[in-house]
Coordinates of all heavy atoms in Angstrom, one line a residue:
M1 N 31.0 -6.7 -39.4 CA 30.7 -5.2 -39.5 C 29.5 -4.9 -38.6 O 29.6 -4.0 -37.8 CB 30.3 -4.9 -41.0 CG 30.1 -3.5 -41.3 SD 31.7 -2.7 -41.6 CE 32.0 -2.9 -43.3
A2 N 28.4 -5.6 -38.7 CA 27.2 -5.4 -38.0 C 27.5 -5.5 -36.5 O 26.9 -4.8 -35.7 CB 26.1 -6.3 -38.3
E3 N 28.4 -6.4 -36.1 CA 28.6 -6.6 -34.7 C 29.3 -5.4 -34.0 O 29.3 -5.3 -32.8 CB 29.3 -7.9 -34.4 CG 30.7 -7.9 -34.9 CD 31.0 -9.3 -35.5 OE1 30.4 -9.9 -36.4 OE2 32.1 -9.9 -35.0
N4 N 29.9 -4.5 -34.8 CA 30.5 -3.3 -34.3 C 29.6 -2.1 -34.2 O 30.1 -1.0 -33.9 CB 31.9 -3.0 -35.0 CG 32.8 -4.1 -34.9 OD1 32.9 -4.7 -33.9 ND2 33.6 -4.5 -36.0
T5 N 28.5 -2.3 -34.7 CA 27.5 -1.1 -34.8 C 27.0 -0.8 -33.5 O 26.3 -1.6 -32.8 CB 26.5 -1.4 -35.8 OG1 27.0 -1.9 -37.0 CG2 25.6 -0.1 -36.0
V6 N 27.1 0.4 -33.0 CA 26.5 0.8 -31.7 C 25.3 1.7 -32.1 O 25.5 2.7 -32.7 CB 27.5 1.6 -30.8 CG1 26.9 2.1 -29.5 CG2 28.7 0.7 -30.5
I7 N 24.2 1.3 -31.6 CA 23.0 2.1 -31.8 C 22.8 3.0 -30.6 O 22.5 2.6 -29.5 CB 21.8 1.3 -32.1 CG1 22.1 0.4 -33.2 CG2 20.5 2.1 -32.3 CD1 21.1 -0.9 -33.5
T8 N 22.8 4.3 -30.9 CA 22.5 5.3 -29.8 C 21.1 5.9 -30.1 O 20.9 6.5 -31.1 CB 23.6 6.4 -29.8 OG1 24.8 5.8 -29.9 CG2 23.5 7.3 -28.6
P9 N 20.2 5.6 -29.2 CA 18.9 6.2 -29.4 C 19.0 7.8 -29.3 O 19.7 8.4 -28.4 CB 18.1 5.7 -28.2 CG 19.0 4.9 -27.3 CD 20.4 4.9 -27.9
K10 N 18.2 8.4 -30.2 CA 18.2 9.9 -30.2 C 17.3 10.5 -29.2 O 17.5 11.6 -28.7 CB 17.8 10.4 -31.6 CG 18.9 10.1 -32.7 CD 18.7 11.1 -33.8 CE 19.8 10.9 -34.9 NZ 19.4 9.9 -35.9
T11 N 16.3 9.7 -28.8 CA 15.4 10.2 -27.7 C 15.4 9.3 -26.6 O 15.6 8.1 -26.7 CB 14.0 10.3 -28.3 OG1 13.6 9.1 -28.8 CG2 13.9 11.4 -29.4
T12 N 15.1 9.8 -25.4 CA 14.9 8.9 -24.2 C 13.6 9.2 -23.7 O 13.0 10.2 -23.8 CB 16.1 9.2 -23.1 OG1 15.8 10.6 -22.9 CG2 17.3 8.9 -23.5
T13 N 13.0 8.2 -23.2 CA 11.7 8.3 -22.7 C 11.8 8.3 -21.1 O 12.3 7.4 -20.5 CB 10.7 7.2 -23.1 OG1 11.4 5.9 -23.0 CG2 10.2 7.3 -24.5
K14 N 11.2 9.3 -20.6 CA 11.3 9.4 -19.1 C 10.0 8.9 -18.5 O 8.9 9.5 -18.9 CB 11.5 11.0 -18.8 CG 12.2 11.1 -17.4 CD 12.0 12.6 -17.0 CE 13.3 13.3 -16.7 NZ 13.1 14.7 -16.6
P15 N 9.9 7.9 -17.8 CA 8.6 7.4 -17.3 C 8.1 8.5 -16.3 O 8.6 9.1 -15.5 CB 9.0 6.2 -16.5 CG 10.4 6.2 -16.3 CD 11.1 7.1 -17.3
K16 N 6.8 8.9 -16.6 CA 6.1 9.9 -15.9 C 5.1 9.3 -14.9 O 4.0 9.1 -15.4 CB 5.5 10.9 -16.9 CG 5.4 12.4 -16.3 CD 4.9 13.2 -17.4 CE 4.6 14.6 -17.0 NZ 4.0 15.4 -18.0
L17 N 5.5 9.1 -13.8 CA 4.6 8.5 -12.8 C 4.0 9.6 -11.9 O 4.6 9.8 -10.8 CB 5.3 7.5 -12.0 CG 5.8 6.2 -12.8 CD1 6.5 5.3 -11.9 CD2 4.7 5.4 -13.5
E18 N 2.9 10.2 -12.2 CA 2.4 11.2 -11.5 C 1.7 10.6 -10.2 O 1.0 9.6 -10.3 CB 1.4 12.1 -12.3 CG 2.1 13.3 -12.8 CD 1.3 14.0 -13.9 OE1 0.1 14.0 -13.8 OE2 2.0 14.5 -14.8
R19 N 1.9 11.3 -9.1 CA 1.2 10.8 -7.9 C -0.3 11.0 -8.0 O -0.7 12.2 -8.4 CB 1.8 11.5 -6.7 CG 2.7 10.6 -5.8 CD 3.2 11.2 -4.6 NE 4.2 12.2 -4.8 CZ 4.5 13.1 -4.0 NH1 3.8 13.3 -2.8 NH2 5.5 13.9 -4.2
P20 N -1.1 10.1 -7.6 CA -2.5 10.3 -7.7 C -2.9 11.3 -6.8 O -2.4 11.5 -5.7 CB -3.1 8.9 -7.3 CG -2.1 8.2 -6.6 CD -0.7 8.7 -7.1
K21 N -4.0 12.2 -7.1 CA -4.4 13.2 -6.3 C -5.1 12.6 -5.1 O -5.8 11.5 -5.2 CB -5.5 14.0 -7.1 CG -5.7 15.4 -6.6 CD -6.5 16.1 -7.6 CE -6.9 17.4 -7.0 NZ -7.7 18.2 -7.8
L22 N -5.0 13.3 -3.9 CA -5.5 12.7 -2.7 C -6.8 13.4 -2.3 O -7.0 14.6 -2.5 CB -4.5 12.7 -1.5 CG -3.2 11.9 -1.8 CD1 -2.3 12.0 -0.6 CD2 -3.7 10.5 -2.0
Y23 N -7.7 12.5 -1.7 CA -8.9 13.1 -1.3 C -9.2 12.9 0.3 O -8.8 11.9 0.8 CB -10.1 12.4 -2.0 CG -10.3 13.0 -3.4 CD1 -9.2 12.8 -4.4 CD2 -11.4 13.7 -3.7 CE1 -9.3 13.4 -5.7 CE2 -11.5 14.2 -5.0 CZ -10.5 14.1 -6.0 OH -10.7 14.7 -7.1
K24 N -9.9 13.7 0.9 CA -10.2 13.7 2.3 C -11.6 13.1 2.4 O -12.5 13.5 1.6 CB -10.2 15.0 3.0 CG -8.9 15.6 3.1 CD -8.9 16.8 3.9 CE -9.5 18.1 3.1 NZ -9.3 19.3 3.7
V25 N -11.8 12.1 3.3 CA -13.3 11.7 3.7 C -13.5 12.5 4.9 O -12.8 12.5 6.0 CB -13.3 10.2 4.0 CG1 -14.7 9.9 4.5 CG2 -13.0 9.4 2.8
M26 N -14.6 13.3 5.0 CA -15.0 14.1 6.1 C -16.3 13.5 6.8 O -17.2 13.1 6.1 CB -15.4 15.6 5.6 CG -14.3 16.2 4.8 SD -12.8 16.6 5.6 CE -13.3 17.8 6.8
L27 N -16.3 13.5 8.1 CA -17.3 13.2 8.9 C -18.1 14.4 9.3 O -17.4 15.3 9.8 CB -16.9 12.4 10.2 CG -17.9 12.2 11.3 CD1 -19.0 11.2 10.8 CD2 -17.1 11.5 12.5
V28 N -19.4 14.4 9.0 CA -20.2 15.6 9.3 C -21.1 15.4 10.5 O -21.7 14.4 10.7 CB -21.1 16.0 8.1 CG1 -21.8 17.2 8.3 CG2 -20.2 16.0 6.8
N29 N -21.1 16.4 11.5 CA -21.9 16.3 12.6 C -23.4 16.5 12.3 O -23.8 17.1 11.3 CB -21.5 17.3 13.7 CG -22.3 17.2 15.0 OD1 -22.5 16.1 15.4 ND2 -22.7 18.2 15.6
D30 N -24.3 15.7 13.1 CA -25.7 16.0 13.1 C -26.3 15.9 14.5 O -25.5 15.4 15.4 CB -26.4 15.1 12.1 CG -26.4 13.6 12.6 OD1 -27.1 13.3 13.5 OD2 -25.6 12.9 12.0
D31 N -27.5 16.2 14.6 CA -28.1 16.2 16.0 C -28.8 14.9 16.4 O -29.3 14.8 17.5 CB -29.1 17.3 16.2 CG -28.5 18.7 16.2 OD1 -27.3 18.8 16.4 OD2 -29.2 19.7 15.8
Y32 N -28.8 14.0 15.5 CA -29.7 12.8 15.7 C -28.9 11.4 15.8 O -29.4 10.6 16.5 CB -30.6 12.7 14.5 CG -31.5 13.9 14.4 CD1 -31.1 14.9 13.4 CD2 -32.5 14.2 15.2 CE1 -31.9 16.0 13.2 CE2 -33.3 15.3 15.0 CZ -32.9 16.3 14.1 OH -33.7 17.4 14.0
T33 N -27.8 11.3 15.1 CA -27.1 10.0 15.2 C -26.4 9.8 16.5 O -25.7 10.7 17.0 CB -26.0 9.9 14.1 OG1 -26.6 10.3 12.8 CG2 -25.5 8.5 13.9
P34 N -26.6 8.7 17.1 CA -26.0 8.5 18.5 C -24.5 8.4 18.4 O -24.0 7.9 17.4 CB -26.6 7.1 18.9 CG -27.8 6.9 18.1 CD -27.6 7.5 16.8
R35 N -23.8 8.9 19.4 CA -22.3 8.9 19.4 C -21.8 7.5 19.2 O -20.8 7.3 18.4 CB -21.9 9.5 20.7 CG -22.1 10.9 20.9 CD -21.6 11.4 22.2 NE -21.9 12.8 22.5 CZ -21.4 13.5 23.5 NH1 -20.4 13.0 24.2 NH2 -21.8 14.7 23.7
D36 N -22.4 6.6 19.9 CA -21.9 5.2 19.8 C -22.0 4.6 18.5 O -21.1 3.8 18.0 CB -22.5 4.2 20.8 CG -22.1 4.4 22.2 OD1 -21.1 5.2 22.5 OD2 -22.7 3.9 23.2
F37 N -23.0 5.0 17.7 CA -23.2 4.5 16.4 C -22.2 5.1 15.4 O -21.6 4.3 14.6 CB -24.6 4.8 15.9 CG -24.9 4.3 14.5 CD1 -25.3 2.9 14.4 CD2 -24.6 5.0 13.3 CE1 -25.5 2.4 13.1 CE2 -24.9 4.5 12.1 CZ -25.2 3.1 12.0
V38 N -21.9 6.3 15.6 CA -20.8 7.0 14.8 C -19.5 6.3 15.1 O -18.8 5.9 14.0 CB -20.7 8.5 15.1 CG1 -19.6 9.2 14.3 CG2 -22.0 9.2 14.9
T39 N -19.1 6.0 16.3 CA -17.9 5.4 16.6 C -17.8 4.0 16.0 O -16.8 3.5 15.4 CB -17.7 5.3 18.1 OG1 -17.8 6.6 18.6 CG2 -16.4 4.7 18.5
M40 N -19.0 3.3 16.1 CA -19.0 2.0 15.5 C -18.8 1.9 14.0 O -18.0 1.1 13.5 CB -20.5 1.3 15.8 CG -20.7 -0.1 15.4 SD -21.1 -0.2 13.6 CE -22.7 0.3 13.6
V41 N -19.4 2.9 13.3 CA -19.2 3.0 11.9 C -17.7 3.3 11.5 O -17.1 2.7 10.5 CB -20.1 4.2 11.2 CG1 -19.7 4.4 9.8 CG2 -21.5 3.7 11.3
L42 N -17.1 4.2 12.3 CA -15.6 4.5 12.1 C -14.7 3.3 12.2 O -13.8 3.1 11.5 CB -15.3 5.7 12.9 CG -15.8 7.0 12.7 CD1 -15.5 8.0 13.8 CD2 -15.4 7.6 11.3
K43 N -15.1 2.5 13.3 CA -14.4 1.3 13.5 C -14.6 0.2 12.4 O -13.6 -0.4 11.9 CB -14.8 0.6 14.8 CG -14.3 1.4 16.1 CD -15.0 1.0 17.3 CE -14.6 -0.4 17.8 NZ -15.3 -0.8 19.1
A44 N -15.8 0.1 12.0 CA -16.2 -1.0 11.0 C -15.7 -0.6 9.6 O -15.2 -1.4 8.9 CB -17.7 -1.2 11.0
V45 N -15.9 0.6 9.2 CA -15.5 1.0 7.8 C -14.1 1.5 7.6 O -13.4 1.2 6.6 CB -16.6 2.0 7.2 CG1 -16.2 2.5 5.8 CG2 -18.0 1.5 7.3
F46 N -13.7 2.2 8.6 CA -12.3 2.8 8.5 C -11.3 2.1 9.3 O -10.2 2.7 9.5 CB -12.4 4.3 8.8 CG -13.3 5.1 7.8 CD1 -14.6 5.3 8.2 CD2 -12.9 5.4 6.6 CE1 -15.5 5.9 7.3 CE2 -13.7 6.1 5.7 CZ -15.0 6.3 6.0
R47 N -11.6 1.0 9.9 CA -10.7 0.2 10.7 C -10.1 0.9 11.8 O -8.8 0.8 12.1 CB -9.7 -0.4 9.8 CG -10.2 -1.2 8.6 CD -10.2 -2.7 8.8 NE -11.0 -3.4 7.8 CZ -12.1 -4.0 8.0 NH1 -12.6 -4.1 9.1 NH2 -12.7 -4.7 7.0
M48 N -10.8 1.8 12.4 CA -10.2 2.6 13.6 C -10.4 1.8 14.9 O -11.3 1.0 15.0 CB -11.0 4.0 13.7 CG -10.6 4.9 12.6 SD -11.4 6.5 13.0 CE -10.9 7.4 11.5
S49 N -9.5 2.1 15.9 CA -9.6 1.5 17.2 C -10.7 2.3 17.9 O -11.3 3.3 17.4 CB -8.3 1.7 17.9 OG -8.1 3.1 18.2
E50 N -11.3 1.7 19.0 CA -12.3 2.4 19.8 C -11.9 3.8 20.1 O -12.6 4.8 20.0 CB -12.6 1.5 21.0 CG -13.5 2.2 22.0 CD -15.0 2.1 21.6 OE1 -15.3 1.2 20.9 OE2 -15.7 3.0 22.0
E51 N -10.6 3.9 20.6 CA -10.1 5.2 21.0 C -10.1 6.2 19.9 O -10.5 7.4 20.0 CB -8.7 4.9 21.5 CG -8.2 6.0 22.4 CD -6.7 5.8 22.8 OE1 -6.3 4.7 22.7 OE2 -6.0 6.9 23.0
T52 N -9.4 5.8 18.8 CA -9.4 6.8 17.6 C -10.8 7.1 17.1 O -11.0 8.3 16.8 CB -8.5 6.1 16.5 OG1 -7.3 5.7 17.0 CG2 -8.3 7.1 15.3
G53 N -11.7 6.1 16.9 CA -13.1 6.3 16.5 C -13.7 7.3 17.4 O -14.4 8.3 16.9
H54 N -13.6 7.1 18.7 CA -14.2 8.1 19.6 C -13.7 9.5 19.6 O -14.4 10.5 19.5 CB -14.0 7.4 21.1 CG -14.8 8.3 22.1 ND1 -14.3 9.3 22.8 CD2 -16.1 8.2 22.5 CE1 -15.2 9.8 23.6 NE2 -16.3 9.2 23.4
R55 N -12.3 9.6 19.3 CA -11.8 10.9 19.2 C -12.3 11.6 18.0 O -12.5 12.7 18.0 CB -10.2 10.7 19.2 CG -9.4 12.0 19.2 CD -7.9 11.9 19.5 NE -7.4 10.8 18.8 CZ -7.1 10.7 17.5 NH1 -7.2 11.7 16.7 NH2 -6.5 9.6 17.0
V56 N -12.3 10.9 16.8 CA -12.7 11.6 15.5 C -14.2 11.9 15.6 O -14.6 13.0 15.2 CB -12.4 10.5 14.4 CG1 -13.0 11.0 13.1 CG2 -11.0 10.3 14.2
M57 N -15.0 11.0 16.3 CA -16.4 11.4 16.4 C -16.6 12.6 17.3 O -17.4 13.5 16.9 CB -17.1 10.1 17.0 CG -18.6 10.3 17.4 SD -18.9 11.2 18.9 CE -18.3 10.0 20.2
M58 N -15.8 12.7 18.3 CA -15.9 13.9 19.2 C -15.4 15.1 18.6 O -16.0 16.2 18.8 CB -15.1 13.6 20.5 CG -15.8 12.7 21.5 SD -17.6 13.2 21.9 CE -17.3 14.7 22.7
T59 N -14.5 15.0 17.7 CA -13.9 16.2 16.9 C -15.1 16.7 16.0 O -15.4 17.9 16.0 CB -12.7 15.8 16.0 OG1 -11.7 15.3 16.9 CG2 -12.2 17.0 15.3
A60 N -15.8 15.8 15.3 CA -16.9 16.1 14.5 C -18.1 16.8 15.3 O -18.7 17.8 15.0 CB -17.4 15.0 13.6
H61 N -18.2 16.1 16.4 CA -19.3 16.6 17.3 C -19.1 18.0 17.8 O -20.0 18.8 17.8 CB -19.4 15.6 18.6 CG -20.5 16.0 19.6 ND1 -21.8 15.8 19.4 CD2 -20.3 16.4 20.8 CE1 -22.4 16.3 20.5 NE2 -21.6 16.6 21.3
R62 N -17.9 18.3 18.1 CA -17.5 19.7 18.7 C -17.3 20.7 17.6 O -17.6 21.9 17.8 CB -16.3 19.6 19.5 CG -16.4 18.8 20.8 CD -15.3 18.9 21.7 NE -15.4 18.1 22.9 CZ -14.6 17.2 23.4 NH1 -13.5 16.8 22.6 NH2 -14.9 16.5 24.5
M63 N -16.6 20.2 16.4 CA -16.3 21.2 15.5 C -17.1 21.3 14.3 O -17.0 22.2 13.4 CB -14.8 20.9 14.9 CG -13.7 20.6 16.0 SD -13.4 22.0 17.0 CE -12.5 23.0 15.8
G64 N -18.0 20.3 14.1 CA -18.9 20.3 13.0 C -18.5 19.3 11.9 O -19.4 18.7 11.3
V65 N -17.3 19.2 11.7 CA -16.7 18.2 10.7 C -15.3 17.6 11.3 O -14.7 18.3 12.1 CB -16.4 18.7 9.4 CG1 -17.7 19.1 8.5 CG2 -15.5 20.0 9.4
A66 N -14.9 16.6 10.8 CA -13.6 15.9 11.2 C -13.1 15.2 9.9 O -13.8 14.6 9.2 CB -13.8 15.1 12.4
V67 N -11.7 15.3 9.7 CA -11.1 14.5 8.7 C -11.0 13.0 9.2 O -10.5 12.8 10.3 CB -9.7 15.0 8.3 CG1 -9.1 14.1 7.2 CG2 -9.8 16.4 7.9
V68 N -11.5 12.1 8.4 CA -11.5 10.7 8.8 C -10.3 10.0 8.2 O -9.5 9.3 9.0 CB -12.8 10.0 8.3 CG1 -12.7 8.5 8.6 CG2 -14.0 10.6 8.9
V69 N -10.0 10.3 6.9 CA -8.8 9.6 6.3 C -8.5 10.4 5.0 O -9.3 11.1 4.4 CB -9.2 8.1 5.9 CG1 -10.2 8.0 4.9 CG2 -8.0 7.3 5.6
V70 N -7.3 10.3 4.6 CA -6.8 10.9 3.3 C -6.4 9.7 2.3 O -5.5 8.9 2.8 CB -5.8 11.9 3.5 CG1 -5.2 12.5 2.1 CG2 -6.1 13.1 4.4
C71 N -7.0 9.6 1.2 CA -6.6 8.4 0.4 C -6.9 8.8 -1.1 O -7.3 9.9 -1.4 CB -7.4 7.2 0.8 SG -9.2 7.5 0.9
T72 N -6.9 7.8 -2.0 CA -7.2 8.1 -3.5 C -8.7 8.3 -3.6 O -9.5 7.9 -2.7 CB -6.8 6.9 -4.3 OG1 -7.6 5.7 -3.8 CG2 -5.3 6.7 -4.3
R73 N -9.1 9.0 -4.7 CA -10.5 9.3 -4.8 C -11.4 8.1 -4.8 O -12.5 8.1 -4.2 CB -10.7 10.0 -6.1 CG -12.0 10.4 -6.5 CD -12.1 11.2 -7.8 NE -13.5 11.6 -8.0 CZ -13.8 12.4 -9.0 NH1 -12.9 12.8 -9.9 NH2 -15.0 12.8 -9.1
D74 N -11.0 7.0 -5.5 CA -11.7 5.8 -5.5 C -12.0 5.2 -4.2 O -13.2 4.9 -3.9 CB -10.8 4.8 -6.3 CG -11.7 3.9 -7.1 OD1 -12.6 4.4 -7.8 OD2 -11.3 2.7 -7.2
I75 N -11.0 5.1 -3.4 CA -11.1 4.6 -2.0 C -12.0 5.5 -1.1 O -12.9 5.1 -0.4 CB -9.8 4.3 -1.3 CG1 -9.1 3.1 -2.2 CG2 -9.9 3.8 0.1 CD1 -7.7 2.8 -1.7
A76 N -11.8 6.8 -1.2 CA -12.5 7.7 -0.5 C -14.0 7.6 -0.7 O -14.8 7.5 0.2 CB -12.0 9.2 -0.8
E77 N -14.3 7.6 -2.0 CA -15.8 7.5 -2.4 C -16.4 6.3 -1.9 O -17.6 6.2 -1.6 CB -15.9 7.8 -3.9 CG -15.8 9.3 -4.2 CD -15.7 9.7 -5.7 OE1 -15.7 8.7 -6.5 OE2 -15.5 10.8 -6.0
T78 N -15.7 5.2 -2.2 CA -16.2 3.8 -1.8 C -16.5 3.8 -0.3 O -17.5 3.3 0.2 CB -15.2 2.7 -2.2 OG1 -15.0 2.8 -3.6 CG2 -15.7 1.3 -1.9
K79 N -15.5 4.2 0.5 CA -15.6 4.1 2.0 C -16.8 5.1 2.4 O -17.5 4.7 3.4 CB -14.3 4.5 2.6 CG -13.2 3.5 2.4 CD -13.3 2.5 3.3 CE -12.3 1.3 3.1 NZ -12.5 0.2 4.0
A80 N -16.8 6.3 1.9 CA -17.8 7.2 2.3 C -19.3 6.6 2.1 O -20.1 6.6 3.0 CB -17.7 8.6 1.5
K81 N -19.4 6.0 0.8 CA -20.7 5.3 0.5 C -21.0 4.2 1.5 O -22.2 4.1 1.9 CB -20.7 4.9 -0.9 CG -22.0 4.3 -1.4 CD -22.1 3.9 -2.8 CE -23.4 3.5 -3.2 NZ -24.1 2.4 -2.4
E82 N -20.0 3.4 1.8 CA -20.2 2.3 2.6 C -20.7 2.7 4.0 O -21.6 2.2 4.6 CB -18.8 1.6 2.9 CG -18.7 0.2 2.3 CD -17.3 -0.3 2.6 OE1 -17.0 -0.8 3.7 OE2 -16.5 -0.3 1.7
A83 N -20.1 3.9 4.6 CA -20.4 4.4 5.8 C -21.8 5.0 5.8 O -22.6 4.8 6.8 CB -19.4 5.4 6.2
I84 N -22.1 5.7 4.7 CA -23.5 6.3 4.7 C -24.6 5.3 4.5 O -25.6 5.3 5.2 CB -23.5 7.3 3.4 CG1 -22.6 8.5 3.6 CG2 -25.0 7.7 3.1 CD1 -22.3 9.3 2.3
D85 N -24.3 4.2 3.8 CA -25.3 3.1 3.6 C -25.6 2.5 5.0 O -26.7 2.0 5.3 CB -24.7 2.1 2.6 CG -24.9 2.7 1.2 OD1 -25.5 3.7 0.9 OD2 -24.3 2.0 0.3
L86 N -24.5 2.2 5.8 CA -24.7 1.6 7.1 C -25.6 2.5 7.9 O -26.5 2.0 8.6 CB -23.3 1.5 7.8 CG -22.5 0.3 7.7 CD1 -21.3 0.3 8.6 CD2 -23.3 -1.0 8.0
A87 N -25.4 3.8 7.9 CA -26.2 4.7 8.7 C -27.7 4.7 8.1 O -28.7 4.7 8.9 CB -25.7 6.1 8.6
K88 N -27.9 4.7 6.8 CA -29.1 4.7 6.1 C -29.9 3.5 6.6 O -31.1 3.6 7.0 CB -29.0 4.7 4.6 CG -29.1 6.0 4.0 CD -29.3 5.9 2.6 CE -28.8 7.2 1.8 NZ -28.3 6.8 0.4
E89 N -29.3 2.4 6.6 CA -29.9 1.1 7.0 C -30.4 1.2 8.4 O -31.4 0.6 8.8 CB -28.9 -0.1 6.9 CG -28.8 -0.8 5.6 CD -27.7 -1.8 5.5 OE1 -27.5 -2.5 6.5 OE2 -27.0 -1.7 4.4
A90 N -29.7 1.9 9.2 CA -30.1 2.0 10.7 C -31.0 3.1 10.9 O -31.5 3.4 12.0 CB -28.8 2.2 11.5
G91 N -31.2 3.9 9.8 CA -32.3 5.0 9.9 C -31.6 6.3 10.5 O -32.5 7.1 11.0
F92 N -30.3 6.5 10.4 CA -29.7 7.7 10.9 C -29.3 8.6 9.7 O -28.8 8.1 8.7 CB -28.5 7.3 11.8 CG -28.9 6.6 13.0 CD1 -28.4 5.4 13.4 CD2 -29.9 7.1 13.9 CE1 -28.8 4.7 14.5 CE2 -30.3 6.5 15.0 CZ -29.7 5.2 15.4
P93 N -29.3 9.9 9.9 CA -28.9 10.8 8.9 C -27.3 11.1 8.8 O -27.0 12.0 8.1 CB -29.6 12.1 9.3 CG -29.6 12.1 10.8 CD -29.7 10.6 11.2
L94 N -26.6 10.3 9.4 CA -25.1 10.5 9.4 C -24.6 10.6 8.0 O -24.9 9.9 7.2 CB -24.5 9.2 10.1 CG -22.9 9.3 10.3 CD1 -22.5 10.4 11.2 CD2 -22.4 7.9 10.8
M95 N -23.7 11.6 7.9 CA -23.2 12.0 6.6 C -21.6 12.1 6.5 O -21.1 12.5 7.5 CB -23.8 13.4 6.1 CG -23.5 13.8 4.6 SD -23.9 12.4 3.5 CE -25.6 12.1 3.7
F96 N -21.1 11.5 5.4 CA -19.7 11.6 5.1 C -19.6 12.3 3.8 O -20.4 12.0 2.9 CB -19.1 10.2 5.0 CG -18.9 9.5 6.4 CD1 -20.1 8.8 6.9 CD2 -17.7 9.5 7.0 CE1 -20.0 8.2 8.2 CE2 -17.7 8.8 8.3 CZ -18.8 8.2 8.8
T97 N -18.6 13.1 3.6 CA -18.3 13.7 2.3 C -16.9 13.5 1.9 O -16.1 13.1 2.7 CB -18.6 15.2 2.3 OG1 -17.7 15.8 3.3 CG2 -20.0 15.6 2.8
T98 N -16.6 13.7 0.5 CA -15.2 13.6 0.1 C -14.9 14.9 -0.6 O -15.7 15.6 -1.2 CB -15.1 12.5 -0.9 OG1 -15.9 12.6 -2.1 CG2 -15.4 11.1 -0.3
E99 N -13.6 15.3 -0.4 CA -13.2 16.5 -1.1 C -11.6 16.5 -1.4 O -11.0 15.7 -0.7 CB -13.4 17.7 -0.2 CG -12.8 17.7 1.1 CD -13.2 19.0 1.9 OE1 -14.3 19.1 2.4 OE2 -12.2 19.8 1.9
P100 N -11.2 17.0 -2.5 CA -9.8 17.0 -2.8 C -8.9 17.7 -1.8 O -9.4 18.7 -1.3 CB -9.7 17.6 -4.2 CG -11.0 18.3 -4.4 CD -12.0 17.7 -3.5
E101 N -7.8 17.2 -1.5 CA -6.9 17.8 -0.6 C -6.2 18.9 -1.3 O -5.9 18.8 -2.5 CB -5.9 16.7 -0.2 CG -5.3 16.9 1.2 CD -4.0 16.1 1.4 OE1 -3.3 15.8 0.4 OE2 -3.8 15.7 2.6
E102 N -6.0 20.0 -0.6 CA -5.4 21.2 -1.3 C -4.0 20.9 -1.7 O -3.2 20.2 -1.2 CB -5.2 22.4 -0.3 CG -6.3 22.7 0.6 CD -6.5 21.7 1.8 OE1 -5.5 21.5 2.5 OE2 -7.6 21.1 1.9
Ligands
LIG201 N1 -23.9 15.1 17.6 C1 -24.3 13.7 17.8 C2 -25.1 13.5 19.2 O1 -24.9 14.4 20.0 C3 -23.2 12.7 17.7 C4 -22.5 12.8 16.4 C5 -21.1 13.0 16.4 C6 -23.2 12.7 15.2 C7 -20.4 13.1 15.3 C8 -22.5 12.8 14.0 O2 -20.4 13.1 12.8 C9 -21.1 13.0 13.9 N2 -25.8 12.4 19.3

């Protein structure tokens, strides 16, 4: 008897895997940090090539800000802090900010 019993669940659970919200790390221009130092930080912290680092640095230099990377909030904040700390240690006012992507 029991072996012929078919159990049909009345409810189904749909796994809800929401995509994590993404954040931008922004590089902010200033008048004091040397260009080469900015490029070095972009290479060291964000694993950019010399060419990409230079291009992103020049974008911030000309436009005031540049998007460095788009990633999860956790990674964005950690990377921004790492980069700011490198600049602080060297005595430069170089700033990175994070903001949610629209
Ligand atoms: N503007 C700086 C200079 O002329 C270089 C610089 C570029 C600084 C980008 C910050 O995010 C920056 N020395």
